[in-house]
Amino acid sequence: MNEPDNLSHRFDDDPDWTVEDVDFLWHGTSSNLVASILTEGLRPGTHWGTVEVAEYFAERNCAEHGGEPVLIRLPIAAFSQGEFRIDEQMIEFPVFDDYDMRAMAYEQIDEEGEPTWQDCLRIYESVVYGQRVPVLRTDFMLASGAPLPEADPVPSR
């Protein structure tokens, strides 16, 4: 079995890598949003990918909403793969220093045919999911890797 962070790779390290090699996807957010995520789930259009990409989005969410960076890890089997889309934002504003190398790899695929969300996940390590995602408290962890501390129960609607 692959390691839980098996999407933590350099895209050019393994040319034979496929989505079938992925066990988990990661999403980053703020601790200030945990209660609403537990109540409502994650809305459509969330970014999922490697732990590095999730940490980036967690920091962005903390800058906007305050709180501490938290990560959500879900098995890829929890998603309907037909709902994944190419992460256009990551292509336009990648979080990696090797932008040129990634852009050339993506352009090569674009020249050969229509890029897929799998290509985006492999090269830019991120995809967008088009459905609401239910999340359990056990799916969260602090960015440090520690479990989310116990909190007051989530208020019901």
Side-chain angles (χ1 to χ4, degrees), residues 87-95 99 124:
D87 188 341
E88 300 289 345
Q89 179 180 343
M90 188 62 68
I91 293 169
E92 292 294 320
F93 305 103
V95 300
Y99 171 77
Y124 288 101

Side-chain angles (χ1 to χ4, degrees), residues 14-89:
D14 183 2
D16 297 324
W17 178 93
T18 68
V19 170
E20 286 76 30
D21 296 323
V22 176
D23 292 326
F24 296 93
L25 292 176
W26 296 82
H27 174 79
T29 191
S30 162
S31 59
N32 287 351
L33 300 175
V34 169
S36 66
I37 292 170
L38 287 170
T39 302
E40 301 169 15
L42 288 165
R43 65 181 180 257
T46 54
H47 300 264
W48 291 86
T50 63
V51 69
E52 290 84 3
V53 168
E55 288 170 344
Y56 166 80
F57 282 107
E59 292 293 333
R60 270 186 65 187
N61 276 302
C62 289
E64 184 176 342
H65 302 284
E68 297 298 317
V70 294
L71 305 177
I72 300 170
R73 183 184 78 171
L74 290 177
I76 196 164
F79 298 90
S80 171
Q81 291 193 13
E83 293 296 329
F84 285 121
R85 299 188 316 260
I86 291 172
D87 188 341
E88 300 289 345
Q89 179 180 343

Side-chain angles (χ1 to χ4, degrees), residues 91-109:
I91 293 169
E92 292 294 320
F93 305 103
V95 300
F96 300 102
D97 293 334
D98 58 353
Y99 171 77
D100 291 336
M101 188 167 49
R102 290 174 193 263
M104 286 188 322
Y106 196 78
E107 286 172 18
Q108 181 179 355
I109 292 168

